[in-house]
Amino acid sequence: MSRIVKILLAANLIVLAVLAFVYPHLMVGPGKLIPGHRQLDADCFACHAPLRGVSSERCTSCHKPVDIGRLTTTGLPVNKPLSTIPFHQQLVSQDCVACHSDHAGVKRFRQQRRFNHALLKKDTLLQCQGCHKSPADALHQQITGNCSQCHSQERWAPASFDHNKYFVLDRDHNARCVTCHLSNDYRRYTCYGCHEHSLANIRREHIDEGIRNFDNCVECHRSGDKHDIQGGHGEGAGKREGKHGRKERGGHE
């Protein structure tokens, strides 16, 4: 390669470098900014530090974390907040670029469901309904909170909870959640909320079979089928084996 060609290449590179710094929005801009940042369209260094990229400190110089979701950068109330309560105040760090990028040609505010919940403080992680509306279907109308028992924070669906693994809700047991789970506590259950399964009735039927520990119903009964008793023994088999056969099979003492 001749010396003249090398000089021309070097000159071109220098010119391009100068233009990139003087007119960065034309030379290296990845796309238009969101409408709220339109006034910064020609001022790349309002957000970008030379050779270091976007700095969160520059974001918080305009967007005060204590006001995000409440007030605009001009101090006016936010008319249409994206969530029912401001949550930016509950973040463990002010890493704005972890979720936001303004250029339409790149990410332009990452899509919903991409929020990293690990950025939230621990005492805020379980307050799902502070930001998310509860579904309006019949099941979720009976439930307040406890989202993490069925759903992960990575995605809403599919739900991880399968009621049939614990008890099959057949047509005779398709009751309201509060019938079996009191005070919205789904870690516990009771069968005594049903008239047919009153404590007196259950006690009488089990005492006749020699079973005295019968509080944990699903230990033996995984459905409403009276023949479907854990261990593979039906009602008839229990009568033939007598009290001790049923007692040993259920594991009660």
Side-chain angles (χ1 to χ4, degrees), residues 41 79 170:
D41 194 45
N79 293 327
D170 57 21

Side-chain angles (χ1 to χ4, degrees), residues 88-128:
H88 285 78
Q89 294 76 19
Q90 305 302 323
L91 299 178
V92 294
S93 66
Q94 298 173 4
D95 186 8
C96 307
V97 295
C99 297
H100 299 289
S101 179
D102 290 355
H103 289 286
V106 186
K107 298 173 183 176
R108 191 181 182 179
F109 286 94
R110 294 179 181 178
Q111 297 295 321
Q112 289 183 346
R113 304 178 187 175
R114 298 244 182 121
F115 175 71
N116 184 5
H117 289 78
L119 295 173
L120 290 170
K121 297 178 181 178
K122 289 184 178 180
D123 58 351
T124 310
L125 279 174
L126 299 180
Q127 300 175 16
C128 307

Side-chain angles (χ1 to χ4, degrees), residues 19-251:
L19 289 175
F21 275 90
V22 177
Y23 303 106
H25 59 291
L26 296 176
M27 299 297 295
V28 295
K32 292 183 179 180
L33 296 175
I34 62 172
H37 288 166
R38 186 174 298 149
Q39 72 277 13
L40 302 175
D41 194 45
D43 186 9
C44 299
F45 298 115
C47 300
H48 295 266
L51 304 178
R52 291 189 293 122
V54 178
S55 170
S56 292
E57 287 76 13
R58 298 199 177 197
C59 300
T60 56
S61 65
C62 293
H63 302 277
K64 305 298 181 184
V66 69
D67 293 333
I68 295 177
R70 298 170 176 166
L71 302 176
T72 66
T73 55
T74 58
L76 298 176
V78 176
N79 293 327
K80 295 181 179 180
L82 297 178
S83 61
T84 55
I85 63 170
F87 66 90
H88 285 78
Q89 294 76 19
Q90 305 302 323
L91 299 178
V92 294
S93 66
Q94 298 173 4
D95 186 8
C96 307
V97 295
C99 297
H100 299 289
S101 179
D102 290 355
H103 289 286
V106 186
K107 298 173 183 176
R108 191 181 182 179
F109 286 94
R110 294 179 181 178
Q111 297 295 321
Q112 289 183 346
R113 304 178 187 175
R114 298 244 182 121
F115 175 71
N116 184 5
H117 289 78
L119 295 173
L120 290 170
K121 297 178 181 178
K122 289 184 178 180
D123 58 351
T124 310
L125 279 174
L126 299 180
Q127 300 175 16
C128 307
Q129 291 172 314
C131 297
H132 302 280
K133 291 183 179 180
S134 180
D137 58 88
L139 172 63
H140 288 87
Q141 285 181 348
Q142 305 177 49
I143 302 172
T144 303
N146 292 313
C147 304
S148 60
Q149 291 190 121
C150 302
H151 305 279
S152 72
Q153 293 177 343
E154 296 299 323
R155 56 174 56 90
W156 175 257
S160 59
F161 181 75
D162 182 4
H163 203 286
N164 288 343
K165 291 182 179 180
Y166 303 91
F167 187 83
V168 178
L169 295 174
D170 57 21
R171 63 180 182 179
D172 294 324
H173 292 81
N174 191 18
R176 288 178 54 82
C177 304
V178 294
T179 303
C180 305
H181 303 283
L182 305 180
S183 302
N184 201 46
D185 186 354
Y186 294 88
R187 297 171 297 178
R188 299 178 177 85
Y189 75 95
T190 177
C191 291
Y192 303 148
C194 175
H195 175 72
E196 182 178 353
H197 299 315
S198 66
L199 178 59
N201 288 342
I202 292 179
R203 180 190 299 275
R204 181 170 56 253
E205 292 186 12
H206 288 76
I207 290 297
D208 288 345
E209 295 294 331
I211 303 172
R212 289 175 171 78
N213 183 5
F214 46 82
D215 287 333
N216 187 11
C217 303
V218 298
E219 182 179 357
C220 300
H221 303 278
R222 295 304 176 94
S223 72
D225 185 353
K226 63 182 180 180
H227 300 292
D228 183 19
I229 299 176
Q230 191 170 345
H233 301 279
E235 186 179 58
K239 290 182 178 180
R240 289 194 300 271
E241 292 182 9
K243 297 180 179 179
H244 297 290
R246 178 69 63 87
K247 180 178 179 180
E248 295 171 355
R249 183 171 61 255

